[in-house]
């Protein structure tokens, strides 16, 4: 899958200027998002087959996660056990990313156009 630098470069215009702490958080989020996307792909799917969609989905999901964290969408925080619960991500970015990944994911249904 694409590296952090490419995803971060595409995400930068959507996120604006980040502090050093936010940049470090973005790196963790991008890595986690890429692992999540890879785990969702159907067995036998070659990531090169859907490379641009994977990159764009990683950008959109990373931006969505950063905005959720910056937008105070944390619904529960318990110090000591470090439990953080986020509301379900229903952002337009996450929805678009899921639609982009649908043709290659094992947990989604996608219809492809057929010319008549």
């Amino acid at each position: 899958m694409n590296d952090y630098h490419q995803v971060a470069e595409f995400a930068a215009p959507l996120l604006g200027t980040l502090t050093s702490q936010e940049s470090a958080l973005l790196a963790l989020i991008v890595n986690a998002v890429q692992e999540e996307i890879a785990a969702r792909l159907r067995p036998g799917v070659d990531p090169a087959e859907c490379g641009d969609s994977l990159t764009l989905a990683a950008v959109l999901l990373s931006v969505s996660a950063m905005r959720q964290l910056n937008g105070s969408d944390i619904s529960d925080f318990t110090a000591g056990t470090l439990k953080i619960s986020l509301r379900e991500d229903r952002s337009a970015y996450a929805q678009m990313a899921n639609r982009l990944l649908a043709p290659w994911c094992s947990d989604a249904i996608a219809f492809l156009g057929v010319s008549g």
Side-chain angles (χ1 to χ4, degrees):
M1 188 168 268
N2 296 307
D3 68 336
Y4 158 77
H5 298 292
Q6 185 178 22
V7 174
E9 179 183 337
F10 290 132
L14 298 171
L15 292 172
T17 305
L18 300 178
T19 66
S20 60
Q21 287 181 321
E22 289 171 331
S23 293
L25 179 61
L26 178 61
L28 295 172
I29 288 173
V30 168
N31 288 332
V33 162
Q34 289 179 327
E35 289 176 12
E36 175 192 357
I37 290 172
R40 290 179 58 194
L41 295 178
R42 286 189 317 266
V45 169
D46 179 8
E49 173 186 340
C50 48
D52 290 342
S53 293
L54 293 181
T55 300
L56 182 54
V59 169
L60 294 171
L61 290 172
S62 296
V63 168
S64 181
M66 287 292 290
R67 286 187 173 181
Q68 267 194 311
L69 292 172
N70 288 335
S72 300
D73 276 356
I74 297 174
S75 65
D76 184 28
F77 180 80
T78 305
T81 60
L82 191 56
K83 175 186 174 191
I84 299 174
S85 301
L86 298 174
R87 293 185 194 106
E88 184 180 340
D89 189 358
R90 295 187 187 119
S91 74
Y93 291 128
Q95 291 175 14
M96 185 182 301
N98 288 327
R99 285 192 306 269
L100 283 169
L101 294 173
W104 299 282
C105 287
S106 59
D107 63 348
I109 296 173
F111 296 96
L112 298 176
V114 178
S115 59

